[in-house]
Amino acid sequence: MIHFKSDIQHKLPLRIFLLLAVVMFNGLFSSIFAQSYEEARNMALNGERAKARQMCRTILAQGFNSDVALLLGRTYAWDGKYDSTRLIMNEVLDRNADNMESLDAFADVEYWSENYAKAVEYCDLALKKDSTNEDFLFKKARILHSSEKYGEAVTTLEALIRINTTNAEALKKLQEYRLDVMKNRIKLNYTIDQFDKSFNRDPWQVVALSYGRKTKLGSVIARVNMAKRFGDIGFQYEIDAYPKISENNYGYLNYGFSQSSVFPDHRFGAEIFHSFPKAFEGSLGMRTLFFGSSDVTIFTGSVGKYISNYWISLRSYVTPGTTGTSVSGQLQMRRYFSDPENYLGLRLGYGVSPDDNRNLIDSSQKLTLKTRSVRMEFNHIINHVWIINPAAAWGSEELTPGNFSGYYTFDISITRLF
């Protein structure tokens, strides 16, 4: 009995020692693995993908790990070696059919390979496991749009927004994709400006009729403007184009001409827009107005961002001149509701804008006059085909240097999509 107790006393410390050794070894191995994986990941993100792959293979030689295998597969995909990626991702799925990251990588590979139907299949597999996954819904919508299945892309984004009405990227894309479903639109706009009674003049009125069509190269809009000012009636003819340059870039081109004194003889505009990460957008461009023997060039730029259900944009116009440089700007805010075509908008303006429909610029001196304005609008879509947009504004405008007048503006537009 004494001998048995002594044997236990000798074996117990040994077992504790072995247990502690195993725990320490596992902890050390986990630490080394984590450091190696992080180092390989940093290499891959910094463009050293060949070195990252070598380190991933070294780690996998010690035992399979899905995170390391996924990283290895991603590096092949980033280098366009899609077959190698497929082999690795298949092994990950064979070991764990519920691995969402592998399905995500597969969807990307097939999307980049332009195998859109296969890419959608992988998105659907993921959505069967988690039907409310916003990342896969958004990815599926983009793939459907690229394969020109615009209606399905819109339906997918609408489902996403029902899940999360504050998804800024989805709201932005839905607004774009709906234009692809309804390729045509006719818009009628009426604007009236009423000035202070101390300035004995008739109201200014503008009627604009436009037709727009969405093409594979981008949107094109033809417009006729009719204006009545100081008892004169004039017409202007314009065309706008929004050419699509790439996934994150599009342009704006404008040309207009008139034989009336209430409009510039010619106008030209050009601008390029770029979508940045985190729902930011920026642009740079110019506008040139021709008045008989003179002309003026205005430089413009904007920056905007979606924040939850809000769109905030700041635009500036800079006009160099012999007597100095004129600067004007606009701050615009929109609050979207359940649909990108349903929103309330507020715009604060300072100075004269060459893009303001109500502010008809008929001379270069007009651009240097001081103005301040506040405009509110409501945009609403009815039965998915009619858009109504009433708006009201109040402002103070310098008619001639030092001669100011207050004014009230009301405008309304009706658009038919088809």
Side-chain angles (χ1 to χ4, degrees):
M1 187 71 180
I2 296 174
H3 176 74
F4 179 70
K5 184 177 180 181
S6 175
D7 186 54
I8 292 176
Q9 288 175 338
H10 283 86
K11 288 182 178 181
L12 189 58
L14 179 60
R15 290 177 180 176
I16 294 174
F17 173 78
L18 291 174
L19 180 61
L20 289 174
V22 169
V23 171
M24 291 177 63
F25 176 78
N26 286 337
L28 180 62
F29 179 79
S30 298
S31 177
I32 294 172
F33 167 79
Q35 290 176 5
S36 300
Y37 172 75
E38 191 64 29
E39 187 177 350
R41 184 174 177 275
N42 290 334
M43 285 180 180
L45 294 176
N46 290 327
E48 299 179 281
R49 290 190 280 274
K51 291 182 179 179
R53 281 194 286 270
Q54 185 176 355
M55 181 165 286
C56 286
R57 293 191 197 97
T58 301
I59 299 172
L60 290 171
Q62 308 302 316
F64 184 82
N65 181 277
S66 60
D67 289 335
V68 179
L70 286 166
L71 178 60
L72 177 60
R74 286 285 189 185
T75 64
Y76 279 122
W78 295 335
D79 283 340
K81 300 177 180 180
Y82 300 137
D83 287 339
S84 298
T85 302
R86 293 184 182 101
L87 287 172
I88 295 168
M89 296 306 165
N90 273 323
E91 184 177 357
V92 175
L93 285 178
D94 286 343
R95 292 172 179 267
N96 180 8
D98 294 328
N99 192 299
M100 299 289 273
E101 230 184 296
S102 183
L103 292 173
D104 184 60
F106 256 129
D108 285 341
V109 166
E110 302 304 341
Y111 175 52
W112 297 333
S113 304
E114 298 185 1
N115 298 323
Y116 300 130
K118 196 69 176 175
V120 170
E121 283 183 23
Y122 285 114
C123 289
D124 287 338
L125 282 173
L127 290 169
K128 283 181 180 178
K129 303 176 190 302
D130 180 5
S131 61
T132 62
N133 190 297
E134 294 181 40
D135 292 335
F136 276 102
L137 284 168
F138 189 77
K139 189 184 293 287
K140 180 181 178 180
R142 290 184 63 184
I143 296 167
L144 289 168
H145 183 265
S146 296
S147 60
E148 299 185 0
K149 294 182 178 180
Y150 303 127
E152 293 180 48
V154 167
T155 301
T156 303
L157 285 178
E158 288 175 339
L160 193 164
I161 292 171
R162 283 195 294 271
I163 294 168
N164 180 7
T165 59
T166 65
N167 191 310
E169 287 286 353
L171 284 166
K172 180 181 177 182
K173 286 298 180 185
L174 181 57
Q175 193 171 16
E176 295 175 16
Y177 292 178
R178 274 199 172 141
L179 297 177
D180 293 310
V181 177
M182 299 290 185
K183 293 183 179 294
N184 303 279
R185 61 172 55 203
I186 294 177
K187 180 178 180 180
L188 180 64
N189 187 88
Y190 173 73
T191 303
I192 183 170
D193 292 326
Q194 180 67 57
F195 292 85
D196 285 349
K197 293 182 179 180
S198 57
F199 292 87
N200 189 17
R201 60 168 60 179
D202 293 331
W204 289 355
Q205 300 179 70
V206 180
V207 178
L209 177 63
S210 65
Y211 166 72
R213 179 169 174 79
K214 184 75 174 180
T215 71
K216 289 184 178 181
L217 300 178
S219 296
V220 180
I221 302 170
R223 181 169 50 254
V224 179
N225 302 310
M226 182 184 74
K228 181 180 179 181
R229 293 174 60 186
F230 305 111
D232 293 333
I233 296 177
F235 289 86
Q236 182 188 52
Y237 307 91
E238 286 187 279
I239 186 166
D240 297 331
Y242 295 86
K244 183 176 180 179
I245 301 171
S246 64
E247 177 70 21
N248 295 313
N249 297 280
Y250 69 94
Y252 165 73
L253 296 171
N254 164 265
Y255 173 71
F257 72 93
S258 175
Q259 295 179 329
S260 170
S261 61
V262 299
F263 291 101
D265 295 345
H266 300 274
R267 63 169 292 142
F268 174 76
E271 193 161 357
I272 185 168
F273 293 80
H274 179 75
S275 295
F276 295 94
K278 298 184 179 179
F280 275 98
E281 182 179 82
S283 71
L284 288 174
M286 49 83 71
R287 313 282 189 266
T288 300
L289 308 177
F290 298 87
F291 307 96
S293 59
S294 65
D295 62 79
V296 60
T297 296
I298 306 106
F299 299 96
T300 184
S302 69
V303 60
K305 178 174 173 57
Y306 282 91
I307 303 174
S308 185
N309 288 334
Y310 293 85
W311 164 250
I312 300 175
S313 174
L314 179 64
R315 176 176 288 277
S316 179
Y317 298 95
V318 179
T319 308
T322 55
T323 59
T325 299
S326 172
V327 179
S328 60
Q330 295 177 350
L331 175 64
Q332 183 173 342
M333 294 166 282
R334 286 180 180 176
R335 201 292 187 189
Y336 290 96
F337 297 97
S338 59
D339 189 287
E341 294 292 354
N342 291 298
Y343 62 82
L344 283 173
L346 173 67
R347 187 175 70 195
L348 308 177
Y350 175 80
V352 177
S353 162
D355 296 327
D356 191 344
N357 188 48
R358 66 151 300 274
N359 204 337
L360 302 175
I361 300 171
D362 53 9
S363 68
S364 58
Q365 287 77 22
K366 180 83 170 179
L367 291 164
T368 62
L369 299 177
K370 299 179 178 66
T371 68
R372 289 172 289 274
S373 64
V374 178
R375 183 178 187 273
M376 295 190 68
E377 65 176 328
F378 172 63
N379 201 84
H380 182 63
I381 189 168
I382 303 170
N383 294 331
H384 299 289
V385 294
W386 291 97
I387 299 175
I388 185 170
N389 180 273
W394 172 87
S396 175
E397 186 173 75
E398 192 177 23
L399 303 176
T400 59
N403 185 16
F404 286 84
S405 171
Y407 68 86
Y408 303 89
T409 297
F410 173 77
D411 67 70
I412 185 168
S413 67
I414 298 175
T415 303
R416 177 65 161 89
L417 306 177
F418 60 100

